[in-house]
Amino acid sequence: MNYYPSSLTDRRLSLRFSSIVVYIVCALWATSPVLAQADTDIFLVDITTSPLKVGIPQNITQRKGYDNQPSFSPDGKSLLYTSMQVDGQTDIYQYSLDSKITIQLTRTPESEYSPTITPDRAYFSVIRVEGDKTQRLWKFPLSGTGESILVLPAVKPVGYHCWLDSDWLALFILGSPNSLQLAKVSTGDTIRVATSIGRTLLKIPGKQALSYVHKQDATHWEIRQLDLKTRTSMGIVPTLEGSEDFIWTPDGTILMARGPVLYQYNPKTTSGWQPVADFSSAGITQLTRLAIDPAGKKLALVAQ
């Protein structure tokens, strides 16, 4: 039996269908933590500001497999992250910067992603992929004792989250297109405020505002600012080409990476992206997610 297209038209249709499939798979891989499994490591590097300088990166998860989504504790003494082991299960781990010891925080039948310590510092919240593949927001006690708690029972599918205060969250909701929604924990109510967004959701230092990436199309991406009082948004700066992960330093500088190079942009003092460091000498070829400790002295880098 001949499985190949029998005419030029059929071949064009076949190529078009294949392109659509590839686009959909890539889009899902980029936005859903369920599919975003790659061979990644987490590096720690010292950082200073005014002027901004970075040190030599140290690999803290040096193994083959998926170690990703780093998030510092409020005191800056530890780093929470997602790790997939050989059984294909993803759980949350905690790395101590002082002792350099790693402990496992979750050990469940479900998979957990995107660990973030809650504003009350009593829990860490996660995106949990439940048995039926539903993605919702849960939280676990940091003490290690007690049951996990479903934070927003009616809100799904959640891809990423950012705590704005003890009762409000910014959520990346998966869909066509993906949307940015504000959620009130005490009532479960949500407000849709933007669409076609990237996965990074961050509060802006010194402002009652949220930053996120708006993807106007496949090539035009922009970091935007959402005023949390008026719920109006404005552009800050176009992203580096193909990049959607960024962080803010305490002094209001944005850091973003492309390939092995880290860049900076300060809305107050610079007119465009400026290179800060090239980590290719450390064997790094592609930087993705970034995290910074509250004091602005340690930087966590995810490298493929």
Side-chain angles (χ1 to χ4, degrees), residues 71-80 94-98 117 293:
S71 174
F72 281 94
S73 60
D75 60 11
K77 294 182 178 180
S78 66
L79 189 76
L80 276 64
Q94 183 177 33
Y95 174 83
S96 169
L97 274 65
D98 291 332
I117 293 181
D293 77 319

Side-chain angles (χ1 to χ4, degrees), residues 74 116-123 125 163-169:
T116 305
I117 293 181
T118 56
D120 61 9
R121 303 190 182 189
Y123 297 85
S125 54
W163 287 95
L164 304 174
D165 58 34
S166 60
D167 197 33
W168 281 94
L169 285 148

Side-chain angles (χ1 to χ4, degrees), residues 158-209:
V158 183
Y160 303 93
H161 70 294
C162 170
W163 287 95
L164 304 174
D165 58 34
S166 60
D167 197 33
W168 281 94
L169 285 148
L171 302 175
F172 174 113
I173 301 296
L174 291 158
S176 298
N178 302 314
S179 65
L180 170 59
Q181 298 187 23
L182 304 181
K184 188 173 177 63
V185 176
S186 57
T187 63
D189 294 333
T190 60
I191 304 166
R192 183 167 169 164
V193 292
T195 60
S196 301
I197 67 165
R199 63 193 175 197
T200 301
L201 304 173
L202 291 172
K203 291 181 68 177
I204 300 176
K207 295 183 178 181
Q208 287 296 311

Side-chain angles (χ1 to χ4, degrees), residues 79-273:
L79 189 76
L80 276 64
Y81 65 95
T82 303
S83 182
M84 175 181 283
Q85 302 303 307
V86 293
D87 60 359
Q89 178 69 24
T90 56
D91 283 297
I92 305 305
Y93 289 73
Q94 183 177 33
Y95 174 83
S96 169
L97 274 65
D98 291 332
S99 68
K100 296 179 172 55
I101 293 174
T102 300
I103 61 173
Q104 187 171 355
L105 296 182
T106 65
R107 194 185 302 270
T108 69
E110 300 82 13
S111 287
E112 287 86 35
Y113 294 86
S114 302
T116 305
I117 293 181
T118 56
D120 61 9
R121 303 190 182 189
Y123 297 85
F124 62 94
S125 54
V126 300
I127 306 302
R128 171 179 271 185
V129 183
E130 299 165 20
D132 62 356
K133 306 304 179 183
T134 298
Q135 293 181 208
R136 292 189 290 183
L137 187 68
W138 291 71
K139 64 180 183 179
F140 290 77
L142 265 173
S143 64
T145 60
E147 298 296 322
S148 57
I149 299 171
L150 180 56
V151 180
L152 293 165
V155 182
K156 59 184 178 181
V158 183
Y160 303 93
H161 70 294
C162 170
W163 287 95
L164 304 174
D165 58 34
S166 60
D167 197 33
W168 281 94
L169 285 148
L171 302 175
F172 174 113
I173 301 296
L174 291 158
S176 298
N178 302 314
S179 65
L180 170 59
Q181 298 187 23
L182 304 181
K184 188 173 177 63
V185 176
S186 57
T187 63
D189 294 333
T190 60
I191 304 166
R192 183 167 169 164
V193 292
T195 60
S196 301
I197 67 165
R199 63 193 175 197
T200 301
L201 304 173
L202 291 172
K203 291 181 68 177
I204 300 176
K207 295 183 178 181
Q208 287 296 311
L210 176 80
S211 57
Y212 64 97
V213 169
H214 176 238
K215 298 182 175 182
Q216 182 177 340
D217 53 39
T219 58
H220 296 87
W221 298 358
E222 181 184 44
I223 298 176
R224 294 187 65 83
Q225 169 181 309
L226 175 72
D227 187 303
L228 294 173
K229 292 182 179 180
T230 64
R231 293 174 187 157
T232 57
S233 67
M234 60 180 291
I236 299 175
V237 65
T239 70
L240 295 167
E241 184 179 357
S243 298
E244 64 174 311
D245 300 300
F246 66 92
I247 54 170
W248 292 85
T249 65
D251 69 353
T253 297
I254 305 174
L255 301 181
M256 185 172 246
R258 182 172 59 188
V261 181
L262 183 70
Y263 293 80
Q264 67 172 332
Y265 170 77
N266 189 309
K268 297 178 181 178
T269 61
T270 58
S271 58
W273 292 102

